[in-house]
Structures are given as structure tokens and as C-alpha cells.
Amino acid sequence: MSKEIPLIPRITTLSNAFRFVKNPLPVLNGFVEEKGEIFEMYMGGFTKAIFTTDPEIVQHVMQKNNRNYRKSEIQTKMIAQFAGKGLLTSDGSYWLRQRRLIQPGFHRAKLAALSDVMLKVVQESWKDLDKLVVSNQPFDLSLEMTKMAFQVVAKSLFTTSVSDEELITLSDNIQEIQEYIVKRLRQPYLIPWFYLSGKSKRQFKISQESRAIILRIIQERRASGQSHDDLLDMLLSARYEDNGEGMTDTQLLDESLILFVAGHETSANALAWAFYLLCKNPEATKKIREEYQEVVGNRKVEFSDFPKLKYTTQVIQETMRIYPPAWITDRLANESEDIKDYHIPKDRMFAIYIYGLHHSKKYWNEPEKFKPERFEKENMKGKPSFAYMPFGGGPRLCIGNNFAMMEMQMVILELLKRYDFELEKNQIIEAMPYVTLQPKYGIKMKIKKR
Ligand code: HEM
């Protein structure tokens, strides 16, 4: 006899629809509180989805029996129609072949070459940040971090091959497309209006505009025959094991665009939340600065320093526990099966509620408190591995996880070295789950030179 998965009645979902559109987190957290680690809910009133915060079930779906699970059409069709068919938006044998091809390019040793690129991006941001120091006006740190993270991905991919104007166009377009996708997901009843009003057509237009910029860069790079030690070089030189050939221009274009989409807003949000938490916890800021002095001192930070910056790493880990940029992900069952006595029908969607896992009282002592030390090795002993999964898990683990960790360390360290951050008083900080978990009204700060 299989156990029944508790169901949130349709009427409860409907009566919460308004609150859900405003902010799904409190509604979902309330359901977790009431029903526990697994429950079913109607999505958009019709399709049932299983929400889970049970690390054992999550591990089964994402890792142990991952072959029985695929991504939903939200990722493989809806995001893909604007961002193209890349690692994040593909599935099955195509995805596996691409992953095998691209994975070596993200190994730690390969990333060493990018640490200088990242350092340069941070140093270039000083121009704008110094102006903010002089103006002494509050500014939205999440916007600054979005600019920074976009530059990091763009320069890591294309080093010098892209102009400032093209970067602004790419950044604006990707931002607008992401906002449009979220609106379509949250308010599907507006889709006919999007078509009638021309909003939908505009997304295709700006998507084409971005693709044209990237294609130009790829074709020029191919023709130049020059080497730049960036991610584009890595993508261009990668060869499939089976036929020894490289990717076509369209594949290169899709994979590059996906790296922008997957790799900039996630890091930007993690960084904005990190600085917010550091402002609220000045003793942690002090410890990071002391660690930096001890490990790096007055010389330039190097790739080999990062593994030694243990406390800084723990602050980043704790930030992504409290505010996981990827707050949810999904999978659909290819075939029916039983997990922990629950019957999972074929094609049923799993909503893996990462935010819920990271805030579960069962796995985290005082989950709402900022305690980077909880990531010390001995404190993590015995914890289920999928209780913490900011980068996902199993074979589809974020390919950019080491890249992102290095980027976040670099930005936090280099900015704390130069500036003091001060949180504006009397502002509302609310975590809002769009595609990534963002501060709904931004995070207003002032900065001073140290
Ligand atoms: C703090 C920063 C980041 C977070 C929290 C994050 C989170 C994630 C998560 C949770 C997944 C798995 C989604 C799933 O399995 O459904 C993922 C996949 C992915 N991420 Fe990241 N990511 C970050 C930064 C980056 C960066 C910097 C890049 C690239 C430069 C990147 C590229 C990708 C790609 C290509 C995938 C798809 C991998 C695949 O399915 O094979 N991410 N990311």
C-alpha cells in the first residue's frame, strides 16, 4: 500500500492566488509548515505538482534515479524559445553530449586563467563606485551587482571582443526577456494580451538582436585565428568524443547565450544578499578582512588563494542558504515509480523547493539566523547532502559552480578592501522569487572609501 501524498485543496490554492502572485514564498512556506516535506498542489488550477523539501526524495530525483526524470517545458521550451537550446534548456542525449563536451572547460585549473579577468572587472567598477562615494547618495546595490556580474560573464566569455554599447544592449535585452518569462509564468491568463499588444513579438525581436551580436563575435573570432584564453576559446576548441568535430556556430551561439542567462543574475543576487548580510553582521565583515590580510596581505589576490579563504567561503555558503538564488527547480517523471512508499505517476511534476530545504528546522538550527560557522566541516557532519543545494545536484549540477564561487570571493574581497558599506535605514527588504531570488525593492546602501 503506498502512502498518500497530502494535497492542498484547489479552493485553498485559489483563495491564495492573489497572495501567490504578490509573493509565492510565504504561501509555499505556509503549506510546508502545514503539510510537511511532501505535498501536492494544483499549478495554474489544473496541473498537479509534487512540492518537496525532503532531501532523500530530492536526491533520488536529481541524482540516484535521475535518468527517470526530465526538465519541464518551462525550461526546455519556454526559456529555450528566447535563450536558445543550450545546457540549461536541453535534455536527454543532446544535453549529455553537450555537457561532456563543455564540462572540461569549467574545471578548476581552467578557471585559473579567468581570475585575472574577474579582478580587472572589479577594478574597472571602481570608477562608478568612486562616483557614488563622492555623491554620498544611497544607491541600489543589487543594480550595481547585476552590472558587475554581467561584465564578469561577458569578459570571461569574450574578453575584449565585445564593445561597451553591445554589452549594454545584451544586458538590457536579457533582463527584459527574463522579466517577460516570469510574467508569462505567473500570469498565464495575460498571454493573449502579450500577443495582441505586440509584447511577445518584441521579445523575439530583442532575442534576435542579442543573437546577432553574439554571432558576429563568434564569426570574427573564428576568422581571426587568435587565442584569448577565455570561455569562447574553450567552446570553440572543444571537440566531440564521437566524431572529433567542434560545435556549429548556432550551437556556440546557444551555449554562449545560456551562460549569460544562467550565470549573471544568479551571481548578482547572491552578491547583493551577501553584502546585505555583511552590513547586518559587521563582525563577519571584520573576520573576512582579517582572513584576507592573513592569506593575501598586500599582494595581488591569486587563484591559489581562494581555497585558503575558508571563512569568506562560509559567508558565501550561508548567504546562498538563506537566500538561494535558484530557489526552486523542477523535474518530470518519465515513468511511474515508488519513492519512500509514495506513488509517483508518469509525467507528474516535482517542484524541488530549494528555499524550503535551506530553511528547514529539521536540518538547520535557527534557520533564519546568519551563522557562517555552520558550514565548518564538523558542523556539517551527518547532514543529508541534499539539505543544501544552491547549485542543484546530480549530473546536472551547475556547471558554473566553481566559476561562481571564485567570482563571489573576488568581488566581496576586493570591494571590502576598498569600501565600507552602510545599509540605508528604514527600507523594506523582501526576498522575491522571480527567475532568481531577488530583493523586491532593491538594497539601498551608501559607500565610503576606507
Ligand atoms: C551563485 C551563482 C549560481 C547559482 C546559485 C546557480 C545555480 C544553478 C542551479 C541550481 C542549476 C541546476 C538547475 C537544475 O538542475 O534544474 C544550475 C545550472 C546551470 N548553471 Fe548555474 N548557478 C550559478 C552561477 C552560474 C554561472 C556563473 C554559470 C556560467 C558561467 C552557470 C551556468 C549554469 C549552466 C550552464 C547550468 C545548466 C547545467 C546543466 O544542466 O548541465 N551558473 N545553476
Side-chain angles (χ1 to χ4, degrees):
M1 262 294 274
S2 55
K3 274 199 280 184
E4 204 165 314
I5 302 177
L7 176 71
I8 309 285
R10 258 206 183 97
I11 183 78
T12 313
T13 332
L14 273 175
S15 61
N16 278 292
F18 183 66
R19 277 179 69 218
F20 198 88
V21 171
K22 247 178 109 194
N23 190 342
L25 285 189
V27 181
L28 290 174
N29 295 341
F31 291 159
V32 174
E33 189 82 17
E34 190 192 323
K35 302 284 183 193
E37 291 186 316
I38 182 164
F39 60 87
E40 276 186 309
M41 194 174 118
Y42 286 97
M43 302 283 285
F46 301 105
T47 324
K48 260 191 199 171
I50 302 170
F51 278 73
T52 185
T53 53
D54 179 334
E56 202 184 324
I57 296 178
V58 175
Q59 183 166 21
H60 180 92
V61 172
M62 303 283 284
Q63 187 185 53
K64 291 195 173 152
N65 200 20
N66 72 83
R67 279 163 193 268
N68 190 39
Y69 291 90
R70 63 184 190 277
K71 286 191 159 189
S72 77
E73 292 194 347
I74 297 171
Q75 301 200 48
T76 55
K77 291 232 166 89
M78 199 155 149
I79 301 183
Q81 68 176 311
F82 301 108
K85 189 179 173 192
L87 274 184
L88 188 77
T89 53
S90 57
D91 230 331
S93 55
Y94 182 81
W95 163 78
L96 185 61
R97 194 163 178 256
Q98 290 302 99
R99 177 88 192 202
R100 286 199 178 131
L101 180 78
I102 298 170
Q103 180 79 55
F106 279 89
H107 278 162
R108 284 191 65 82
K110 287 265 177 188
L111 295 180
L114 296 178
S115 77
D116 274 351
V117 174
M118 291 181 186
L119 181 62
K120 211 166 150 222
V121 169
V122 183
Q123 290 177 343
E124 276 169 5
S125 78
W126 290 348
K127 266 187 284 159
D128 287 348
L129 293 175
D130 282 358
K131 282 186 201 150
L132 293 168
V133 172
V134 175
S135 80
N136 196 30
Q137 289 300 312
F139 64 94
D140 182 358
L141 184 79
S142 40
L143 289 182
E144 294 307 315
M145 290 302 108
T146 304
K147 278 195 250 165
M148 179 95 79
F150 194 84
Q151 290 282 339
V152 167
V153 179
K155 298 281 162 70
S156 302
L157 256 169
F158 305 139
T159 40
T160 53
S161 316
V162 56
S163 71
D164 286 348
E165 297 84 72
E166 284 174 327
L167 271 185
I168 292 170
T169 310
L170 278 177
S171 162
D172 289 350
N173 289 356
I174 291 172
Q175 198 72 23
E176 190 177 328
I177 290 171
Q178 285 190 345
E179 279 165 21
Y180 173 72
I181 291 173
V182 171
K183 276 210 186 108
R184 275 183 64 136
L185 283 174
R186 285 273 157 76
Q187 292 155 290
Y189 48 86
L190 292 179
I191 292 175
W193 165 245
F194 292 149
Y195 279 97
L196 284 172
S197 64
K199 210 172 166 51
S200 185
K201 207 167 150 196
R202 177 173 160 78
Q203 305 311 309
F204 283 105
K205 189 178 150 262
I206 61 174
S207 163
Q208 289 311 321
E209 188 181 29
S210 308
R211 292 177 72 84
I213 294 174
I214 298 176
L215 188 62
R216 196 263 313 144
I217 297 171
I218 292 169
Q219 288 172 340
E220 276 182 18
R221 178 71 65 88
R222 257 202 220 283
S224 81
Q226 280 172 0
S227 151
H228 290 258
D229 226 356
D230 54 15
L231 291 178
L232 180 59
D233 263 14
M234 174 277 284
L235 293 172
L236 271 163
S237 59
R239 293 287 172 268
Y240 291 109
E241 273 172 15
D242 46 14
N243 61 8
E245 286 176 12
M247 284 189 269
T248 63
D249 279 0
T250 310
Q251 285 177 311
L252 280 163
L253 170 53
D254 282 343
E255 295 298 353
S256 306
L257 196 52
I258 283 297
L259 293 181
F260 270 114
V261 171
H264 101 280
E265 209 181 274
T266 39
S267 306
N269 284 307
L271 280 167
W273 289 120
F275 282 105
Y276 166 68
L277 288 168
L278 286 170
C279 282
K280 308 253 302 176
N281 297 277
E283 71 292 351
T285 307
K286 191 166 163 267
K287 276 179 89 171
I288 289 185
R289 284 178 173 147
E290 283 166 5
E291 185 179 67
Y292 187 90
Q293 260 316 306
E294 216 175 279
V295 175
V296 185
N298 294 326
R299 62 170 168 79
K300 190 183 88 171
V301 65
E302 280 165 10
F303 181 71
S304 57
D305 294 323
F306 293 116
K308 295 178 206 149
L309 295 157
K310 292 221 164 71
Y311 185 74
T312 312
T313 308
Q314 288 168 7
V315 166
I316 296 169
Q317 288 170 319
E318 178 68 339
T319 301
M320 290 194 295
R321 184 190 65 78
I322 300 181
Y323 298 112
W327 61 282
I328 200 162
T329 189
D330 66 38
R331 292 293 188 269
L332 268 75
N334 295 332
E335 298 300 335
S336 69
E337 67 160 336
D338 288 355
I339 314 178
K340 281 180 90 175
D341 293 339
Y342 293 113
H343 180 67
I344 314 299
K346 179 174 159 50
D347 293 331
R348 181 59 41 91
M349 183 196 274
F350 264 106
I352 315 257
Y353 187 36
I354 300 176
Y355 183 95
L357 272 160
H358 288 191
H359 288 256
S360 164
K361 288 196 188 88
K362 197 164 162 191
Y363 308 107
W364 306 99
N365 177 25
E366 300 187 296
E368 302 315 315
K369 284 213 174 134
F370 176 75
K371 296 195 222 171
E373 298 77 12
R374 58 169 106 236
F375 284 95
E376 298 252 348
K377 233 185 189 162
E378 56 269 32
N379 296 338
M380 290 298 281
K381 261 189 207 148
K383 219 177 272 298
S385 47
F386 279 70
Y388 181 68
M389 46 173 301
F391 293 114
R396 299 204 69 149
L397 178 79
C398 173
I399 203 167
N401 65 344
N402 290 327
F403 178 104
M405 288 305 290
M406 173 162 95
E407 168 188 13
M408 291 187 283
Q409 282 182 317
M410 180 73 88
V411 175
I412 291 172
L413 292 166
E414 289 302 312
L415 292 189
L416 284 186
K417 201 166 86 176
R418 192 173 169 90
Y419 304 105
D420 277 326
F421 290 75
E422 194 188 308
L423 203 56
E424 274 293 285
K425 297 196 179 66
N426 303 324
Q427 60 174 319
I428 301 170
I429 303 286
E430 183 180 333
M432 181 69 184
Y434 297 107
V435 172
T436 56
L437 190 66
Q438 296 182 17
K440 189 170 182 180
Y441 309 104
I443 297 178
K444 276 148 221 105
M445 300 245 184
K446 273 188 186 170
I447 48 170
K448 289 195 187 84
K449 273 247 193 76
R450 295 185 71 216

